[in-house]
Amino acid sequence: MGTAQLLLLSNFLVFLSIVVWGVSGAGNNVPRKNFYKSTRCPNAEQLVRDLTWSNAKNDFTLGAKLLRLHYHDCFVRGCDASILLDKVGTDQSEKEARPNLSLGGFDVIDDIKRQVEEKCPGIVSCADILALAARDAVSFPFKKSLWDVETGRKDGNVSLGSEVNGNLPSPFSDFATLQQLFTKKGLNVNDLVALSGAHTIGVAHCGAFSRRLFNFTGKGDMDPSMNATYAESLKQLCPNPANPATTVEMDPQSSTSFDSNYFNILTQNKGLFQSDAALLTDKKSAKVVKQLQKTKDFFSEFGKSMQKMGAIEVLTGNAGEIRKNCRVRN
């Protein structure tokens, strides 16, 4: 091979390496803002928002439902919409695991996905729809987006109920357990406290906290860290044994308003779950609780932490797929 040919070959290899690096670099640069702007569905985010807001008009609980659904998805296998998959064969799917039996909003995600597919087939992932719809449902009363959602996720192909308990924090968790699970997902104490603020909206079943009222240490006692007056009011709503269908506001008198009141009630020892009360047992965590009593600070920190949570173990590039139906693999 002559000198000229070697030079041409060398230049070609350099060019090829730049192209390959550029492609892989672009693939790694997701999720990112406005991912769909450069696809065949540039209005994807607007479409999801409009559909979500249309549903939210008729269901004031939708924000709490979709926020919880997104959270439960991201903590198991990352934000890959595995929570949406139905069971295949005999193994339980994530949605069938006990901590997920009270989740709601699946039908709304199905409806949004169906309409998005009609306009933009095979482009917008279920994982992105869930992340966007959770933000949009919470934001509906404000008529503006409360935080940015980066997009470009792919959908996962595996959903195992057996993986839920080892990854998903429970309402019975103490601070050490919470911190360990959040650290495992790349989230810090600030994120733990800020994301706990999601409990400012929604309700909980009595079984998630009744032990604190009637049998905290196994001796028929009450959790001494709970405000006694608040505990007595909860006992009236959730007598022992409680009706499994009975629900209680997580943020007393403010459970339909997304605000910083959750942190106010925490400082009054009125956190509903053991995991709520646990935030006051750590010095750093308790300091963050006080900081987030200001609505502006809460909204800012919550948005940052939601972005971090939304990036947990995401599938991009050749990993995963774009499901046609969020309940089943292609």
Side-chain angles (χ1 to χ4, degrees), residues 78-91:
C79 308
D80 66 344
S82 53
I83 190 69
L84 305 178
L85 284 169
D86 288 338
K87 178 171 69 174
V88 176
T90 57
D91 290 331

Side-chain angles (χ1 to χ4, degrees), residues 254-302:
S254 184
S255 66
T256 61
S257 177
F258 189 78
D259 53 34
S260 61
N261 193 58
Y262 166 80
F263 300 101
N264 295 330
I265 66 165
L266 275 192
T267 61
Q268 300 166 24
N269 296 314
K270 294 180 180 179
L272 187 61
F273 301 139
Q274 188 173 344
S275 59
D276 294 322
L279 300 181
L280 299 178
T281 64
D282 175 78
K283 193 173 182 179
K284 182 177 180 181
S285 174
K287 183 178 179 181
V288 179
V289 167
K290 291 182 178 179
Q291 291 172 341
L292 298 189
Q293 285 180 271
K294 297 177 181 178
T295 298
K296 183 178 179 181
D297 290 346
F298 167 52
F299 280 14
S300 174
E301 294 305 311
F302 186 80

Side-chain angles (χ1 to χ4, degrees), residues 159-184:
S159 182
L160 297 172
S162 59
E163 295 182 340
V164 172
N165 284 332
N167 288 288
L168 188 68
S170 86
F172 310 106
S173 299
D174 59 18
F175 183 80
T177 302
L178 290 171
Q179 186 176 29
Q180 181 182 32
L181 288 172
F182 272 68
T183 299
K184 182 179 174 183

Side-chain angles (χ1 to χ4, degrees), residues 6-240:
L6 284 172
L7 184 59
L8 284 173
L9 179 59
S10 176
N11 289 338
F12 173 75
L13 290 174
V14 169
F15 170 77
L16 184 62
S17 69
I18 291 173
V19 170
V20 171
W21 182 90
V23 170
S24 62
N28 290 330
N29 190 27
V30 286
R32 64 175 183 266
K33 287 185 67 174
N34 301 317
F35 172 82
Y36 290 104
K37 289 291 185 184
S38 58
T39 71
R40 288 179 289 111
C41 195
N43 297 319
E45 293 190 24
Q46 180 74 37
L47 179 57
V48 172
R49 193 194 74 172
D50 291 346
L51 293 169
T52 303
W53 283 13
S54 177
N55 280 278
K57 286 178 186 176
N58 303 314
D59 183 1
F60 68 89
T61 68
L62 188 60
K65 289 176 181 175
L66 296 187
L67 199 56
R68 188 167 177 241
L69 193 59
H70 182 37
Y71 168 76
H72 281 231
D73 178 46
C74 289
F75 268 76
V76 182
R77 287 190 170 267
C79 308
D80 66 344
S82 53
I83 190 69
L84 305 178
L85 284 169
D86 288 338
K87 178 171 69 174
V88 176
T90 57
D91 290 331
Q92 274 189 340
S93 62
E94 288 175 32
K95 65 171 66 171
E96 295 176 302
R98 187 171 182 179
N100 292 335
L101 293 178
S102 60
L103 291 176
F106 294 100
D107 55 336
V108 173
I109 298 299
D110 286 340
D111 179 59
I112 294 172
K113 175 62 174 177
R114 178 182 58 78
Q115 295 192 58
V116 170
E117 280 294 304
E118 287 177 0
K119 290 183 169 59
C120 309
I123 298 175
V124 186
S125 69
C126 298
D128 278 347
I129 288 175
L130 179 53
L132 289 165
R135 187 270 311 275
D136 295 335
V138 173
S139 300
F140 172 68
F142 302 89
K143 296 299 184 287
K144 65 177 183 179
S145 296
L146 293 185
W147 65 90
D148 291 329
V149 173
E150 297 177 326
T151 46
R153 302 167 187 79
K154 290 288 191 67
D155 299 323
N157 293 317
V158 178
S159 182
L160 297 172
S162 59
E163 295 182 340
V164 172
N165 284 332
N167 288 288
L168 188 68
S170 86
F172 310 106
S173 299
D174 59 18
F175 183 80
T177 302
L178 290 171
Q179 186 176 29
Q180 181 182 32
L181 288 172
F182 272 68
T183 299
K184 182 179 174 183
K185 303 301 178 183
L187 303 173
N188 58 32
V189 171
N190 284 358
D191 301 317
L192 166 57
V193 178
L195 292 173
S196 295
H199 291 172
T200 193
I201 52 175
V203 297
H205 291 269
C206 295
F209 59 87
S210 61
R211 190 175 69 185
R212 298 186 72 202
L213 304 176
F214 300 106
N215 198 27
F216 186 58
T217 65
K219 300 178 181 179
D221 55 343
M222 189 183 83
D223 183 349
S225 73
M226 181 178 276
N227 180 290
T229 303
Y230 180 50
E232 289 303 319
S233 69
L234 289 175
K235 287 180 180 180
Q236 298 300 314
L237 296 168
C238 295
N240 192 27

